[in-house]
Amino acid sequence: PKLTAPAASAVGRATVSRIVPAASTRRIAFARAPSRPSLVGGWRIAKVAEFMLADKTFADLKIPLSCVATDLDTGEEVVYQEGPLRETVQASMSIPGFLPPVYFRGRRLVDGAVLSPVPIRACRNMGADLVIAVDVSQSLNGVAETENVIDIIFRANTITNCALTELLLQHAEVVIRPNVGQVHWAEFRELHTLIAEGEGAAQALLTKLESEIRQRRSLWQHWFAR
């Protein structure tokens, strides 16, 4: 079977974690909201993207890639599979409020996770008949800290995101769920722990994955033998 996987790059998110500790991002973001479009200046992320991607395009990649973004004006999901990588990758990781929108080809773009936290549809459109999805959404377990209006707004947003993620995951053949829901996305000091959790979760599903691949291989062989 053909296996493909789109990815939204996390280039530059470490910059956010260095500038703003995870515990205070919410209050700082709201305090600055009236005067600026984002917590982190776009030029910082643009510099990182320029350094890492330069003038590379999708055609330079060895593995097929889709970059998923959200059009802030139309509310559409926008999937890029050709053209420059720098702008599309930057758009696909522009978390609303933390990073400014990216203006590209007449669109104002933000993180694709706004509409598609798990871009399974993009995978299907690339031709994948076996989708392996990874759920790294925040956990809703435990008692939420909802002491004020800011906490309540962020908690409500997390609930919406988790519900949307669960709906999308129903369309994947295999779902890997590393135990990382308690870690804030900007906690890059936990990098090695997160990698270990991901490896362990994937290893635990190897048997199921191998079974799925064998079944599809058998179906293809049966079909072409007719």
Side-chain angles (χ1 to χ4, degrees), residues 129-183:
D129 54 12
L130 171 60
V131 174
I132 305 168
V134 183
D135 178 18
V136 293
S137 56
Q138 285 186 273
S139 173
L140 291 176
N141 296 332
V143 179
E145 294 182 8
T146 52
E147 300 175 355
N148 54 53
V149 63
I150 298 174
D151 292 332
I152 292 173
I153 290 173
F154 273 82
R155 177 66 174 182
N157 181 69
T158 299
I159 292 172
T160 300
N161 182 268
C162 287
L164 176 57
T165 298
E166 285 300 322
L167 286 174
L168 294 172
L169 288 174
Q170 294 176 16
H171 301 284
E173 281 71 34
V174 178
V175 179
I176 300 174
R177 298 179 187 267
N179 184 26
V180 297
Q182 73 284 358
V183 182

Side-chain angles (χ1 to χ4, degrees), residues 17-94:
S17 66
R18 287 197 299 269
I19 297 172
V20 186
S24 59
T25 50
R26 291 178 293 186
R27 289 170 178 79
I28 293 176
F30 270 77
R32 294 190 173 189
S35 61
R36 57 193 301 175
S38 63
L39 184 59
V40 178
W43 65 270
R44 295 177 181 271
I45 306 303
K47 284 287 186 182
V48 175
E50 181 180 3
F51 173 76
M52 299 190 71
L53 299 172
D55 296 322
K56 292 186 181 296
T57 69
F58 282 82
D60 296 317
L61 301 176
K62 295 181 180 180
I63 299 175
L65 171 72
S66 286
C67 277
V68 183
T70 303
D71 189 311
L72 195 58
D73 297 307
T74 66
E76 296 175 285
E77 179 181 271
V78 185
V79 181
Y80 292 101
Q81 296 178 331
E82 54 85 23
L85 281 170
R86 187 168 56 189
E87 290 85 352
T88 52
V89 167
Q90 188 177 342
S92 74
M93 67 178 188
S94 291

